[in-house]
CSV table of all heavy atoms in Angstrom, one decimal:
chain,number,residue,atom,x,y,z
A,1,MET,N,-17.1,-5.1,7.1
A,1,MET,CA,-15.7,-5.0,6.4
A,1,MET,C,-15.7,-4.0,5.3
A,1,MET,O,-16.7,-4.0,4.5
A,1,MET,CB,-15.2,-6.4,5.9
A,1,MET,CG,-13.7,-6.3,5.6
A,1,MET,SD,-13.1,-8.0,5.4
A,1,MET,CE,-11.4,-7.7,5.0
A,2,GLU,N,-14.6,-3.3,5.1
A,2,GLU,CA,-14.7,-2.2,4.0
A,2,GLU,C,-13.6,-2.6,3.0
A,2,GLU,O,-12.6,-3.2,3.3
A,2,GLU,CB,-14.4,-0.9,4.6
A,2,GLU,CG,-15.5,-0.4,5.5
A,2,GLU,CD,-15.2,0.9,6.2
A,2,GLU,OE1,-14.0,1.3,6.1
A,2,GLU,OE2,-16.1,1.5,6.6
A,3,CYS,N,-13.8,-2.1,1.8
A,3,CYS,CA,-12.8,-2.3,0.6
A,3,CYS,C,-11.5,-1.6,1.1
A,3,CYS,O,-11.6,-0.4,1.6
A,3,CYS,CB,-13.4,-1.6,-0.6
A,3,CYS,SG,-12.2,-1.5,-1.9
A,4,ALA,N,-10.4,-2.3,1.0
A,4,ALA,CA,-9.2,-1.8,1.4
A,4,ALA,C,-8.7,-0.6,0.5
A,4,ALA,O,-7.8,0.2,1.0
A,4,ALA,CB,-8.1,-2.9,1.4
A,5,TYR,N,-9.4,-0.4,-0.6
A,5,TYR,CA,-8.9,0.7,-1.5
A,5,TYR,C,-9.9,1.9,-1.3
A,5,TYR,O,-9.5,3.0,-1.1
A,5,TYR,CB,-8.8,0.3,-2.9
A,5,TYR,CG,-8.4,1.3,-3.8
A,5,TYR,CD1,-7.1,1.8,-3.8
A,5,TYR,CD2,-9.2,2.0,-4.7
A,5,TYR,CE1,-6.6,2.8,-4.6
A,5,TYR,CE2,-8.8,3.0,-5.5
A,5,TYR,CZ,-7.5,3.4,-5.5
A,5,TYR,OH,-7.0,4.4,-6.3
A,6,CYS,N,-11.1,1.7,-1.5
A,6,CYS,CA,-12.1,2.8,-1.6
A,6,CYS,C,-13.0,3.0,-0.4
A,6,CYS,O,-13.6,4.0,-0.2
A,6,CYS,CB,-13.0,2.8,-2.9
A,6,CYS,SG,-14.2,1.5,-2.8
A,7,GLY,N,-13.0,2.0,0.5
A,7,GLY,CA,-13.7,2.0,1.8
A,7,GLY,C,-15.2,1.7,1.7
A,7,GLY,O,-15.9,1.9,2.6
A,8,SER,N,-15.6,1.2,0.5
A,8,SER,CA,-17.0,0.8,0.4
A,8,SER,C,-17.3,-0.4,1.2
A,8,SER,O,-16.4,-1.2,1.6
A,8,SER,CB,-17.3,0.5,-1.1
A,8,SER,OG,-17.2,1.6,-1.9
A,9,ASP,N,-18.6,-0.5,1.6
A,9,ASP,CA,-19.0,-1.7,2.4
A,9,ASP,C,-19.0,-2.9,1.6
A,9,ASP,O,-19.8,-2.9,0.6
A,9,ASP,CB,-20.3,-1.3,3.0
A,9,ASP,CG,-20.9,-2.4,3.9
A,9,ASP,OD1,-20.2,-3.4,4.1
A,9,ASP,OD2,-22.0,-2.3,4.4
A,10,LEU,N,-18.2,-3.9,1.9
A,10,LEU,CA,-18.1,-5.1,1.1
A,10,LEU,C,-19.4,-5.9,1.1
A,10,LEU,O,-19.6,-6.7,0.2
A,10,LEU,CB,-16.9,-5.9,1.5
A,10,LEU,CG,-15.6,-5.2,1.3
A,10,LEU,CD1,-14.5,-6.2,1.8
A,10,LEU,CD2,-15.4,-4.9,-0.2
A,11,ALA,N,-20.2,-5.7,2.1
A,11,ALA,CA,-21.4,-6.5,2.1
A,11,ALA,C,-22.3,-6.1,0.9
A,11,ALA,O,-23.2,-7.1,0.5
A,11,ALA,CB,-22.2,-6.1,3.4
A,12,ARG,N,-22.1,-5.1,0.3
A,12,ARG,CA,-22.9,-4.7,-0.9
A,12,ARG,C,-22.3,-5.2,-2.2
A,12,ARG,O,-22.8,-5.0,-3.3
A,12,ARG,CB,-23.0,-3.2,-1.0
A,12,ARG,CG,-23.6,-2.6,0.3
A,12,ARG,CD,-24.1,-1.2,0.1
A,12,ARG,NE,-23.5,-0.4,-1.0
A,12,ARG,CZ,-22.9,0.8,-0.8
A,12,ARG,NH1,-22.9,1.4,0.4
A,12,ARG,NH2,-22.4,1.4,-1.9
A,13,TYR,N,-21.2,-5.9,-2.1
A,13,TYR,CA,-20.4,-6.3,-3.4
A,13,TYR,C,-20.2,-7.9,-3.3
A,13,TYR,O,-20.5,-8.5,-2.3
A,13,TYR,CB,-19.2,-5.6,-3.5
A,13,TYR,CG,-19.4,-4.2,-3.7
A,13,TYR,CD1,-19.4,-3.2,-2.6
A,13,TYR,CD2,-19.5,-3.5,-4.9
A,13,TYR,CE1,-19.6,-1.9,-2.7
A,13,TYR,CE2,-19.7,-2.2,-5.1
A,13,TYR,CZ,-19.7,-1.4,-4.0
A,13,TYR,OH,-19.9,-0.1,-4.2
A,14,ASP,N,-19.5,-8.4,-4.3
A,14,ASP,CA,-19.0,-9.7,-4.3
A,14,ASP,C,-17.5,-9.6,-4.1
A,14,ASP,O,-16.8,-9.5,-5.1
A,14,ASP,CB,-19.4,-10.4,-5.6
A,14,ASP,CG,-18.9,-11.8,-5.7
A,14,ASP,OD1,-18.7,-12.4,-4.6
A,14,ASP,OD2,-18.8,-12.4,-6.8
A,15,PRO,N,-17.0,-9.5,-2.8
A,15,PRO,CA,-15.6,-9.0,-2.7
A,15,PRO,C,-14.6,-9.9,-3.1
A,15,PRO,O,-14.8,-11.1,-3.2
A,15,PRO,CB,-15.6,-8.7,-1.2
A,15,PRO,CG,-16.6,-9.6,-0.7
A,15,PRO,CD,-17.7,-9.7,-1.6
A,16,VAL,N,-13.4,-9.3,-3.4
A,16,VAL,CA,-12.2,-10.1,-3.8
A,16,VAL,C,-11.3,-10.0,-2.6
A,16,VAL,O,-11.0,-8.9,-2.1
A,16,VAL,CB,-11.5,-9.5,-5.0
A,16,VAL,CG1,-10.3,-10.3,-5.4
A,16,VAL,CG2,-12.6,-9.3,-6.1
A,17,PHE,N,-10.8,-11.1,-2.0
A,17,PHE,CA,-9.9,-11.1,-0.9
A,17,PHE,C,-8.5,-11.5,-1.3
A,17,PHE,O,-8.3,-12.2,-2.2
A,17,PHE,CB,-10.3,-12.0,0.2
A,17,PHE,CG,-11.6,-11.5,0.9
A,17,PHE,CD1,-12.8,-12.1,0.5
A,17,PHE,CD2,-11.6,-10.5,1.9
A,17,PHE,CE1,-14.0,-11.6,1.0
A,17,PHE,CE2,-12.7,-10.1,2.4
A,17,PHE,CZ,-14.0,-10.6,2.1
A,18,VAL,N,-7.5,-10.6,-0.7
A,18,VAL,CA,-6.1,-10.9,-1.2
A,18,VAL,C,-5.3,-11.2,0.0
A,18,VAL,O,-5.4,-10.7,1.1
A,18,VAL,CB,-5.6,-9.5,-1.8
A,18,VAL,CG1,-4.1,-9.6,-2.2
A,18,VAL,CG2,-6.4,-9.2,-3.1
A,19,GLU,N,-4.4,-12.1,-0.2
A,19,GLU,CA,-3.3,-12.5,0.7
A,19,GLU,C,-2.0,-12.2,0.1
A,19,GLU,O,-1.8,-12.2,-1.1
A,19,GLU,CB,-3.4,-14.0,1.1
A,19,GLU,CG,-4.6,-14.3,1.9
A,19,GLU,CD,-4.6,-15.8,2.4
A,19,GLU,OE1,-3.9,-16.6,1.8
A,19,GLU,OE2,-5.2,-16.0,3.4
A,20,GLU,N,-1.1,-11.9,1.0
A,20,GLU,CA,0.3,-11.5,0.6
A,20,GLU,C,1.3,-12.4,1.3
A,20,GLU,O,1.2,-12.4,2.5
A,20,GLU,CB,0.5,-10.0,0.8
A,20,GLU,CG,1.7,-9.4,0.2
A,20,GLU,CD,1.7,-8.0,0.3
A,20,GLU,OE1,1.8,-7.4,1.4
A,20,GLU,OE2,1.4,-7.3,-0.7
A,21,ALA,N,2.3,-12.8,0.6
A,21,ALA,CA,3.4,-13.5,1.3
A,21,ALA,C,4.1,-12.6,2.2
A,21,ALA,O,4.5,-11.4,1.7
A,21,ALA,CB,4.3,-14.2,0.3
A,22,THR,N,4.4,-13.0,3.4
A,22,THR,CA,5.1,-12.1,4.3
A,22,THR,C,6.7,-12.1,4.2
A,22,THR,O,7.4,-11.3,4.8
A,22,THR,CB,4.8,-12.5,5.8
A,22,THR,OG1,5.3,-13.8,6.0
A,22,THR,CG2,3.3,-12.5,6.1
A,23,GLY,N,7.1,-13.1,3.4
A,23,GLY,CA,8.5,-13.2,3.2
A,23,GLY,C,9.2,-14.1,4.3
A,23,GLY,O,10.4,-14.2,4.4
A,24,GLY,N,8.4,-14.6,5.2
A,24,GLY,CA,8.8,-15.4,6.3
A,24,GLY,C,9.3,-16.8,5.8
A,24,GLY,O,9.0,-17.2,4.6
A,25,PRO,N,10.1,-17.5,6.6
A,25,PRO,CA,10.7,-18.7,6.2
A,25,PRO,C,9.7,-19.9,5.9
A,25,PRO,O,10.1,-20.9,5.2
A,25,PRO,CB,11.6,-19.1,7.4
A,25,PRO,CG,11.0,-18.4,8.5
A,25,PRO,CD,10.5,-17.1,8.0
A,26,ASP,N,8.5,-19.8,6.5
A,26,ASP,CA,7.6,-20.8,6.3
A,26,ASP,C,6.6,-20.5,5.2
A,26,ASP,O,5.5,-21.2,5.1
A,26,ASP,CB,6.8,-21.1,7.6
A,26,ASP,CG,7.7,-21.5,8.7
A,26,ASP,OD1,8.8,-22.1,8.5
A,26,ASP,OD2,7.5,-21.0,9.8
A,27,GLY,N,6.9,-19.5,4.4
A,27,GLY,CA,6.0,-19.2,3.3
A,27,GLY,C,4.6,-18.6,3.9
A,27,GLY,O,3.6,-18.9,3.3
A,28,GLU,N,4.7,-18.0,5.0
A,28,GLU,CA,3.5,-17.5,5.7
A,28,GLU,C,2.8,-16.5,4.8
A,28,GLU,O,3.4,-15.7,4.1
A,28,GLU,CB,3.8,-16.9,7.0
A,28,GLU,CG,4.3,-17.9,8.0
A,28,GLU,CD,5.0,-17.3,9.1
A,28,GLU,OE1,5.4,-16.1,9.1
A,28,GLU,OE2,5.4,-18.0,10.1
A,29,ARG,N,1.5,-16.4,4.9
A,29,ARG,CA,0.8,-15.4,4.1
A,29,ARG,C,-0.1,-14.6,5.2
A,29,ARG,O,-0.6,-15.1,6.1
A,29,ARG,CB,-0.1,-16.0,3.1
A,29,ARG,CG,0.7,-16.7,2.1
A,29,ARG,CD,-0.2,-17.6,1.1
A,29,ARG,NE,-0.8,-16.6,0.1
A,29,ARG,CZ,-0.2,-16.2,-1.0
A,29,ARG,NH1,1.0,-16.6,-1.2
A,29,ARG,NH2,-0.8,-15.4,-1.8
A,30,GLU,N,-0.3,-13.3,4.9
A,30,GLU,CA,-1.2,-12.6,5.7
A,30,GLU,C,-2.2,-11.8,4.8
A,30,GLU,O,-1.9,-11.6,3.7
A,30,GLU,CB,-0.4,-11.5,6.6
A,30,GLU,CG,0.2,-10.5,5.7
A,30,GLU,CD,0.9,-9.4,6.6
A,30,GLU,OE1,1.0,-9.7,7.9
A,30,GLU,OE2,1.3,-8.4,6.1
A,31,SER,N,-3.4,-11.7,5.5
A,31,SER,CA,-4.4,-11.1,4.7
A,31,SER,C,-4.1,-9.6,4.4
A,31,SER,O,-3.8,-8.8,5.4
A,31,SER,CB,-5.7,-11.3,5.4
A,31,SER,OG,-6.8,-10.6,4.7
A,32,VAL,N,-4.2,-9.2,3.2
A,32,VAL,CA,-4.1,-7.7,2.8
A,32,VAL,C,-5.5,-7.1,3.1
A,32,VAL,O,-5.5,-5.9,3.6
A,32,VAL,CB,-3.7,-7.7,1.4
A,32,VAL,CG1,-3.7,-6.2,1.0
A,32,VAL,CG2,-2.2,-8.2,1.1
A,33,GLY,N,-6.5,-7.7,2.8
A,33,GLY,CA,-7.8,-7.2,2.9
A,33,GLY,C,-8.7,-7.5,1.7
A,33,GLY,O,-8.4,-8.4,0.9
A,34,GLY,N,-9.9,-6.9,1.7
A,34,GLY,CA,-10.9,-7.2,0.7
A,34,GLY,C,-11.1,-6.0,-0.2
A,34,GLY,O,-10.9,-4.9,0.3
A,35,PHE,N,-11.5,-6.3,-1.3
A,35,PHE,CA,-11.8,-5.3,-2.3
A,35,PHE,C,-13.1,-5.5,-2.9
A,35,PHE,O,-13.5,-6.6,-3.2
A,35,PHE,CB,-10.7,-5.3,-3.4
A,35,PHE,CG,-9.4,-5.0,-2.9
A,35,PHE,CD1,-8.6,-6.0,-2.4
A,35,PHE,CD2,-8.8,-3.8,-2.9
A,35,PHE,CE1,-7.3,-5.8,-1.9
A,35,PHE,CE2,-7.6,-3.5,-2.4
A,35,PHE,CZ,-6.8,-4.5,-1.9
A,36,CYS,N,-13.9,-4.5,-3.2
A,36,CYS,CA,-15.2,-4.5,-3.7
A,36,CYS,C,-15.3,-5.1,-5.1
A,36,CYS,O,-16.4,-5.7,-5.5
A,36,CYS,CB,-16.0,-3.3,-3.5
A,36,CYS,SG,-15.4,-1.8,-4.3
A,37,ASN,N,-14.3,-5.0,-5.8
A,37,ASN,CA,-14.2,-5.6,-7.1
A,37,ASN,C,-12.8,-5.5,-7.7
A,37,ASN,O,-11.8,-5.0,-7.0
A,37,ASN,CB,-15.2,-4.8,-8.1
A,37,ASN,CG,-14.9,-3.3,-8.2
A,37,ASN,OD1,-13.7,-3.0,-8.3
A,37,ASN,ND2,-16.0,-2.5,-8.1
A,38,TYR,N,-12.6,-6.2,-8.8
A,38,TYR,CA,-11.2,-6.2,-9.4
A,38,TYR,C,-10.7,-4.8,-9.8
A,38,TYR,O,-9.5,-4.6,-9.8
A,38,TYR,CB,-11.1,-7.2,-10.6
A,38,TYR,CG,-11.1,-8.6,-10.1
A,38,TYR,CD1,-12.3,-9.4,-10.1
A,38,TYR,CD2,-10.0,-9.2,-9.7
A,38,TYR,CE1,-12.2,-10.7,-9.7
A,38,TYR,CE2,-9.9,-10.5,-9.2
A,38,TYR,CZ,-11.1,-11.2,-9.3
A,38,TYR,OH,-11.1,-12.5,-8.7
A,39,ALA,N,-11.6,-3.9,-10.1
A,39,ALA,CA,-11.1,-2.5,-10.5
A,39,ALA,C,-10.4,-1.9,-9.2
A,39,ALA,O,-9.3,-1.3,-9.4
A,39,ALA,CB,-12.3,-1.7,-10.9
A,40,CYS,N,-11.0,-2.1,-8.1
A,40,CYS,CA,-10.3,-1.5,-6.9
A,40,CYS,C,-9.1,-2.3,-6.6
A,40,CYS,O,-8.1,-1.7,-6.1
A,40,CYS,CB,-11.3,-1.6,-5.7
A,40,CYS,SG,-12.5,-0.3,-5.5
A,41,LEU,N,-9.1,-3.6,-6.7
A,41,LEU,CA,-7.9,-4.4,-6.6
A,41,LEU,C,-6.8,-3.9,-7.4
A,41,LEU,O,-5.7,-3.7,-7.0
A,41,LEU,CB,-8.2,-5.9,-6.8
A,41,LEU,CG,-7.0,-6.8,-6.7
A,41,LEU,CD1,-6.3,-6.7,-5.4
A,41,LEU,CD2,-7.4,-8.2,-7.1
A,42,HIS,N,-7.1,-3.8,-8.6
A,42,HIS,CA,-6.1,-3.3,-9.7
A,42,HIS,C,-5.5,-1.9,-9.3
A,42,HIS,O,-4.4,-1.7,-9.4
A,42,HIS,CB,-6.8,-3.3,-11.1
A,42,HIS,CG,-5.8,-2.8,-12.1
A,42,HIS,ND1,-4.8,-3.7,-12.6
A,42,HIS,CD2,-5.7,-1.7,-12.8
A,42,HIS,CE1,-4.1,-3.0,-13.6
A,42,HIS,NE2,-4.6,-1.8,-13.7
A,43,ALA,N,-6.4,-1.0,-8.9
A,43,ALA,CA,-6.1,0.4,-8.5
A,43,ALA,C,-5.1,0.3,-7.3
A,43,ALA,O,-4.1,1.0,-7.3
A,43,ALA,CB,-7.3,1.2,-8.3
A,44,TRP,N,-5.5,-0.6,-6.3
A,44,TRP,CA,-4.7,-0.7,-5.2
A,44,TRP,C,-3.2,-1.3,-5.5
A,44,TRP,O,-2.3,-0.8,-5.0
A,44,TRP,CB,-5.5,-1.6,-4.1
A,44,TRP,CG,-4.7,-1.8,-2.9
A,44,TRP,CD1,-4.7,-1.0,-1.8
A,44,TRP,CD2,-3.9,-3.0,-2.6
A,44,TRP,NE1,-3.9,-1.6,-0.9
A,44,TRP,CE2,-3.3,-2.8,-1.3
A,44,TRP,CE3,-3.5,-4.1,-3.4
A,44,TRP,CZ2,-2.4,-3.7,-0.8
A,44,TRP,CZ3,-2.6,-5.0,-2.7
A,44,TRP,CH2,-2.1,-4.8,-1.4
A,45,VAL,N,-3.2,-2.3,-6.4
A,45,VAL,CA,-1.9,-2.8,-6.7
A,45,VAL,C,-1.1,-1.8,-7.4
A,45,VAL,O,0.1,-1.7,-7.1
A,45,VAL,CB,-2.2,-4.1,-7.7
A,45,VAL,CG1,-0.9,-4.5,-8.3
A,45,VAL,CG2,-2.8,-5.2,-6.9
A,46,GLU,N,-1.7,-1.0,-8.3
A,46,GLU,CA,-0.9,0.1,-8.9
A,46,GLU,C,-0.3,1.1,-8.0
A,46,GLU,O,0.8,1.5,-8.0
A,46,GLU,CB,-1.8,0.7,-9.9
A,46,GLU,CG,-2.1,-0.2,-11.1
A,46,GLU,CD,-2.1,0.5,-12.4
A,46,GLU,OE1,-2.6,1.7,-12.5
A,46,GLU,OE2,-1.6,-0.1,-13.4
A,47,ASP,N,-1.2,1.4,-6.9
A,47,ASP,CA,-0.7,2.4,-5.9
A,47,ASP,C,0.5,1.7,-5.1
A,47,ASP,O,1.4,2.4,-4.8
A,47,ASP,CB,-1.9,2.7,-4.9
A,47,ASP,CG,-2.8,3.8,-5.6
A,47,ASP,OD1,-2.5,4.3,-6.7
A,47,ASP,OD2,-3.7,4.2,-4.8
A,48,GLU,N,0.2,0.5,-4.7
A,48,GLU,CA,1.3,-0.2,-4.0
A,48,GLU,C,2.5,-0.3,-4.7
A,48,GLU,O,3.6,-0.1,-4.3
A,48,GLU,CB,0.9,-1.7,-3.6
A,48,GLU,CG,-0.2,-1.7,-2.6
A,48,GLU,CD,0.2,-1.2,-1.3
A,48,GLU,OE1,1.1,-1.9,-0.7
A,48,GLU,OE2,-0.2,-0.2,-0.7
A,49,ALA,N,2.4,-0.6,-6.1
A,49,ALA,CA,3.7,-0.6,-6.9
A,49,ALA,C,4.4,0.7,-6.9
A,49,ALA,O,5.6,0.7,-6.9
A,49,ALA,CB,3.3,-1.0,-8.3
A,50,LEU,N,3.7,1.7,-7.0
A,50,LEU,CA,4.3,3.1,-6.8
A,50,LEU,C,5.1,3.3,-5.5
A,50,LEU,O,6.1,3.8,-5.5
A,50,LEU,CB,3.2,4.2,-6.9
A,50,LEU,CG,2.6,4.4,-8.3
A,50,LEU,CD1,1.5,5.4,-8.3
A,50,LEU,CD2,3.6,4.8,-9.4
A,51,VAL,N,4.4,2.8,-4.5
A,51,VAL,CA,5.1,2.9,-3.1
A,51,VAL,C,6.3,2.1,-3.1
A,51,VAL,O,7.4,2.6,-2.7
A,51,VAL,CB,4.0,2.3,-2.0
A,51,VAL,CG1,4.8,2.3,-0.7
A,51,VAL,CG2,2.9,3.3,-1.9
A,52,TYR,N,6.3,0.9,-3.7
A,52,TYR,CA,7.5,0.1,-3.6
A,52,TYR,C,8.5,0.6,-4.5
A,52,TYR,O,9.7,0.6,-4.2
A,52,TYR,CB,7.2,-1.4,-4.1
A,52,TYR,CG,6.3,-2.2,-3.1
A,52,TYR,CD1,5.3,-2.9,-3.6
A,52,TYR,CD2,6.5,-2.0,-1.8
A,52,TYR,CE1,4.5,-3.7,-2.7
A,52,TYR,CE2,5.7,-2.6,-0.8
A,52,TYR,CZ,4.8,-3.5,-1.3
A,52,TYR,OH,4.0,-4.2,-0.4
A,53,GLY,N,8.1,1.3,-5.7
A,53,GLY,CA,9.1,1.9,-6.6
A,53,GLY,C,9.9,3.0,-5.9
A,53,GLY,O,11.0,3.2,-6.4
A,54,THR,N,9.2,3.8,-5.0
A,54,THR,CA,10.0,4.8,-4.4
A,54,THR,C,10.7,4.4,-3.1
A,54,THR,O,11.4,5.2,-2.6
A,54,THR,CB,9.0,5.9,-4.0
A,54,THR,OG1,8.0,5.3,-3.0
A,54,THR,CG2,8.2,6.6,-5.2
A,55,ALA,N,10.6,3.2,-2.8
A,55,ALA,CA,11.2,2.7,-1.6
A,55,ALA,C,11.9,1.3,-1.9
A,55,ALA,O,11.8,0.3,-1.2
A,55,ALA,CB,10.3,2.5,-0.5
A,56,CYS,N,12.6,1.3,-3.1
A,56,CYS,CA,13.1,0.1,-3.6
A,56,CYS,C,14.2,-0.6,-2.8
A,56,CYS,O,14.6,-1.7,-2.9
A,56,CYS,CB,13.7,0.2,-5.0
A,56,CYS,SG,15.0,1.4,-5.2
A,57,GLU,N,14.8,0.2,-1.8
A,57,GLU,CA,15.8,-0.4,-1.0
A,57,GLU,C,15.3,-0.8,0.4
A,57,GLU,O,16.0,-1.1,1.3
A,57,GLU,CB,17.0,0.7,-0.8
A,57,GLU,CG,17.6,0.9,-2.1
A,57,GLU,CD,18.9,1.7,-1.9
A,57,GLU,OE1,19.3,2.1,-0.8
A,57,GLU,OE2,19.5,2.2,-2.9
A,58,TRP,N,14.0,-0.7,0.5
A,58,TRP,CA,13.3,-1.0,1.8
A,58,TRP,C,13.5,-2.6,2.0
A,58,TRP,O,13.4,-3.4,1.1
A,58,TRP,CB,11.8,-0.7,1.7
A,58,TRP,CG,11.1,-1.1,3.0
A,58,TRP,CD1,11.0,-0.5,4.2
A,58,TRP,CD2,10.4,-2.4,3.2
A,58,TRP,NE1,10.3,-1.1,5.0
A,58,TRP,CE2,9.9,-2.3,4.5
A,58,TRP,CE3,10.2,-3.5,2.4
A,58,TRP,CZ2,9.1,-3.4,5.0
A,58,TRP,CZ3,9.4,-4.5,2.9
A,58,TRP,CH2,8.9,-4.5,4.2
A,59,SER,N,13.9,-2.9,3.3
A,59,SER,CA,14.1,-4.3,3.6
A,59,SER,C,13.3,-4.6,4.9
A,59,SER,O,13.2,-3.8,5.9
A,59,SER,CB,15.6,-4.6,3.8
A,59,SER,OG,15.7,-5.8,4.6
A,60,PRO,N,12.6,-5.8,4.9
A,60,PRO,CA,12.0,-6.1,6.2
A,60,PRO,C,12.9,-6.3,7.3
A,60,PRO,O,12.5,-6.4,8.5
A,60,PRO,CB,11.1,-7.4,5.8
A,60,PRO,CG,11.9,-8.0,4.6
A,60,PRO,CD,12.4,-6.7,3.9
A,61,ASP,N,14.1,-6.5,7.0
A,61,ASP,CA,15.1,-6.8,8.1
A,61,ASP,C,15.7,-5.5,8.7
A,61,ASP,O,16.4,-5.5,9.6
A,61,ASP,CB,16.3,-7.7,7.5
A,61,ASP,CG,15.7,-9.0,7.1
A,61,ASP,OD1,14.9,-9.6,7.8
A,61,ASP,OD2,16.2,-9.5,6.0
A,62,GLY,N,15.3,-4.4,7.9
A,62,GLY,CA,15.6,-3.1,8.4
A,62,GLY,C,17.0,-2.8,8.7
A,62,GLY,O,17.3,-1.9,9.5
B,1,ZN,ZN1,-13.5,-0.6,-3.6
């Protein structure tokens, strides 16, 4: 498995795994992926925030 942000092999790290609420009625969660450390997790979150910021009217119901 690779870091969802930088693509490093997680076997060489103490990885951080993230789940995200899908917004479904049952509070379902889906795995976002693993990160090799919190620095990558933080960088990924910031990138995701930028994506959401440019698509603020996006809706899962489309
Ligand atoms: Zn990484």
Side-chain angles (χ1 to χ4, degrees):
M1 189 169 186
E2 295 177 344
C3 174
Y5 184 72
C6 73
S8 293
D9 182 0
L10 292 183
R12 304 195 335 231
Y13 297 90
D14 183 18
V16 183
F17 291 97
V18 175
E19 291 186 334
E20 192 170 68
T22 62
D26 301 324
E28 296 162 346
R29 300 175 75 82
E30 66 178 12
S31 177
V32 171
F35 298 85
C36 58
N37 56 46
Y38 281 101
C40 274
L41 172 59
H42 181 73
W44 178 83
V45 167
E46 295 219 317
D47 280 3
E48 288 292 297
L50 288 175
V51 170
Y52 292 141
T54 58
C56 57
E57 294 185 11
W58 179 83
S59 164
D61 298 320

